[in-house]
Amino acid sequence: MTENKKRPNPIDIHVGSRIRLRRNMIGMSQEKLGEQLGITFQQIQKYEKGTNRVGASRLQAIGGIMNVPVSYFFEDAPRDGAGGPEFGEPPAPSFETDFLSTTEGIQLFRSFTKITDPKVRRRVLDLIKVLAAEEE
């Protein structure tokens, strides 16, 4: 008898990763998001892993809480057939998602967005470019 475990759909995995990304960007815990939705943090974990599919009304509620349109959760989503990964194959994570899933990435994002002076922002960006070039 073969074991037939259903793998999460690549779109569900992508939507979940976008929920996690946005939640981390705004500094919200799984507990806080779950509380605002009236569900447990374990359910949020399942959504973020793609294990459980997020329904349309729930996704709209999440977007409202996180102040993003529903379309945000589908940005860069894999497409079946149209040059995207094969069905059942997990989507390749994007550089932005990988970067903003790290503690350093989140801290850098939050700190950089607090800088209001465009000249200072430009200097910070120039500094990062110089440091990155030194690494090569």
Side-chain angles (χ1 to χ4, degrees), residues 13-132:
I13 294 170
H14 180 80
V15 168
S17 72
R18 297 289 290 182
I19 292 170
R20 182 177 57 252
L21 173 64
R22 180 64 181 166
R23 183 179 57 73
N24 285 329
M25 286 172 65
I26 63 174
M28 179 180 281
S29 69
Q30 289 177 333
E31 291 84 1
K32 182 72 173 171
L33 179 57
E35 179 182 300
Q36 290 189 31
L37 291 168
I39 59 176
T40 65
F41 78 91
Q42 290 94 337
Q43 182 64 42
I44 300 298
Q45 286 176 334
K46 290 177 182 181
Y47 286 158
E48 290 183 358
K49 290 178 183 175
T51 306
N52 285 10
R53 180 170 291 162
V54 184
S57 59
R58 174 85 24 99
L59 193 58
Q60 185 162 5
I62 292 170
I65 291 167
M66 295 183 170
N67 200 27
V68 293
V70 171
S71 60
Y72 167 86
F73 301 108
F74 296 95
E75 290 175 8
D76 301 322
R79 295 184 201 148
D80 291 339
E86 296 297 318
F87 182 77
E89 181 181 323
S94 69
F95 169 76
E96 295 86 1
T97 303
D98 285 348
F99 175 70
L100 289 171
S101 294
T102 67
T103 302
E104 295 87 358
I106 293 167
Q107 289 173 347
L108 185 60
F109 170 81
R110 287 184 188 155
S111 298
F112 187 80
T113 56
K114 289 178 184 175
I115 301 170
T116 56
D117 184 337
K119 290 180 183 177
V120 173
R121 287 176 83 132
R122 184 77 222 168
R123 284 191 218 132
V124 169
L125 184 56
D126 290 342
L127 173 63
I128 291 171
K129 287 179 179 178
V130 168
L131 293 172

